[in-house]
Amino acid sequence: MRTLPPGSTIGMLGAGQLGRMTALAAARLGYKLHAFSLEGRESSCGQVCAEVTTADWHDRDALARFAASVDVVTLEWENVPTGTVDFLSTLVPVHPGSAVLAVAQDRLKEKAFANAQGLETAPFRAVRNVAELEAAVAELGRPSILKSTRLGYDGKGQARILPGTDLADAWAAVGTDEAILEGFVDFACEVSVITARREDGVMASFPVVENRHKSGILDTTHVPAAVTPAVAAQAVRVAETMTRSLNVVGLLAVEMFVTSDGRVLVNEVAPRPHNSGHWTQDFCETDQFEQFVRAVCGLPLGPTGIVSPCVMTNLIGDDVAAWPALLAEPGAHLHLYGKSEARPGRKMGHVNRKA
């Protein structure tokens, strides 16, 4: 395993708020961050990192120049084209690799991979047209949920199949020719675990947290999750199994459903820092962004103990207008992403508070 010393440069594919917070954490440890993105200096990450390359994902000349300027490459967005990662991997170490992205980018592959590791998921079927949707609904029943296999996030690219739903309308609403129908899960709560893994296989997992959504977008994360020790241990085992089996170097966030009878089902994975880990910036021994830097640079992983029970609240759209009050609120830790325009559904920042 190669260890990169302070003074090295980390290449980041993507330039959003996850890159921004990684750049700030890297700077604390003496590393520089160079972002590659379609966006430029005004991006959330571009405002705070050492350098930005603004180019198309398929611009090989720009990618080669970028690779020559960095010591390792990672990403803050799992939908980077796998061809881009494959090309960069011939020039510089890239963590995680394209094999991880191939699974994380496709909901069908994601669930099939989890099942192959002996892990449970919601029942699902591949759907490519209305006729297949009708057949899948006949098998899985209503309610169920139709999702695009790729790119949908924060409730986008999804349609709920309820008793009165017209299936042709639902198919048109998702707007894809490759989808997945997921059967209804009677879950008690949604939880997630973020696991860090180095190239030598050493892992460290953050505690299990509970996530509550509003309009398909994460609203609050509650730390620790109100689950039994047995369920918490199972959730960590699931996350570490996925991380090890995918051979992730960096971070893997695993979102899971906990059923009323205590089963843990894999929902989605993300090979990068995750919104449900933002609480770690103020209430954990090591925050997820520093741990991310430690993992991709081959450094010792930090401890992951909870300093205090807490709640992370996302600031979505116009919620950010409350920043003066949040700054004045005792005990509130405000994190803003430097985005100039608040739009409905857009993550503008978050605030961490003791529970």
Side-chain angles (χ1 to χ4, degrees):
M1 182 186 71
R2 188 174 66 141
T3 298
L4 297 179
S8 300
T9 299
I10 300 167
M12 176 65 72
L13 301 178
Q17 65 264 19
L18 301 178
R20 177 191 184 93
M21 291 181 277
T22 302
L24 295 173
R28 291 198 306 270
L29 295 178
Y31 294 86
K32 298 184 288 291
L33 191 138
H34 180 169
F36 186 103
S37 171
L38 278 66
E39 303 174 82
R41 269 289 175 194
E42 292 309 307
S43 64
S44 184
C45 180
Q47 296 168 18
V48 302
C49 64
E51 193 171 350
V52 180
T53 292
T54 306
D56 185 84
W57 294 118
H58 305 288
D59 185 338
R60 292 204 164 187
D61 289 338
L63 288 167
R65 290 192 298 271
F66 170 71
S69 73
V70 302
D71 299 290
V72 68
V73 171
T74 189
L75 52 91
E76 59 124 42
W77 188 57
E78 64 270 25
N79 289 304
V80 173
T82 55
T84 297
V85 172
D86 284 335
F87 176 72
L88 285 171
S89 297
T90 66
L91 304 172
V92 65
V94 182
H95 305 308
S98 63
V100 178
L101 301 192
V103 173
Q105 290 176 359
D106 188 305
R107 287 187 171 91
L108 281 168
K109 291 180 180 178
E110 191 174 58
K111 284 184 165 50
F113 186 90
N115 290 166
Q117 312 316 310
L119 306 176
E120 288 190 84
T121 63
F124 65 95
R125 297 290 184 274
V127 177
R128 291 178 291 272
N129 51 52
V130 175
E132 290 188 0
L133 176 58
E134 290 171 348
V137 170
E139 285 189 70
L140 300 184
R142 304 180 189 225
S144 50
I145 185 164
L146 181 67
K147 301 178 179 179
S148 61
T149 57
R150 293 176 173 269
L151 293 177
Y153 63 97
D154 289 345
K156 301 177 179 69
Q158 301 184 10
R160 294 190 178 277
I161 309 297
L162 304 173
T165 301
D166 181 275
L167 296 185
D169 289 345
W171 181 253
V174 171
T176 183
D177 57 3
E178 189 175 58
I180 179 173
L181 184 74
E182 297 178 8
F184 177 72
V185 175
D186 182 19
F187 61 88
C189 62
E190 294 184 46
V191 301
S192 61
V193 173
I194 298 171
T195 298
R197 183 175 181 272
R198 299 190 316 191
E199 195 172 9
D200 63 357
V202 171
M203 293 191 293
S205 293
F206 289 94
V208 185
V209 300
E210 180 181 346
N211 301 316
R212 301 177 187 175
H213 295 76
K214 185 186 295 182
S215 301
I217 302 175
L218 181 63
D219 181 33
T220 57
T221 294
H222 299 256
V223 185
V227 297
T228 66
V231 167
Q234 186 181 355
V236 171
R237 282 197 299 273
V238 167
E240 293 186 350
T241 296
M242 289 293 286
T243 303
R244 184 186 304 108
S245 300
L246 284 167
N247 197 26
V248 171
V249 177
L251 297 184
L252 185 73
V254 183
E255 298 177 85
M256 295 163 269
F257 297 125
V258 178
T259 65
S260 53
D261 60 355
R263 292 182 299 134
V264 176
L265 313 181
V266 174
N267 181 29
E268 293 183 355
V269 303
R272 53 166 171 78
H274 195 258
N275 199 168
S276 68
H278 291 353
W279 66 273
T280 60
Q281 291 175 298
D282 301 296
F283 293 105
C284 189
E285 292 175 283
T286 308
D287 78 62
Q288 68 163 338
F289 302 101
E290 178 180 319
Q291 195 80 303
F292 186 31
V293 171
R294 287 172 178 246
V296 299
C297 292
L299 307 177
L301 299 179
T304 57
I306 298 170
V307 173
S308 171
C310 59
V311 177
M312 186 284 301
T313 303
N314 269 330
L315 300 176
I316 308 295
D318 290 338
D319 292 347
V320 74
W323 67 266
L326 293 170
L327 284 176
E329 180 186 327
H333 300 269
L334 178 64
H335 301 264
L336 298 178
Y337 304 154
K339 298 179 180 179
S340 59
E341 181 185 359
R343 298 192 297 267
R346 193 181 197 196
K347 294 173 181 174
M348 302 297 293
H350 63 273
V351 59
N352 294 324
R353 301 178 174 93
K354 280 189 179 182

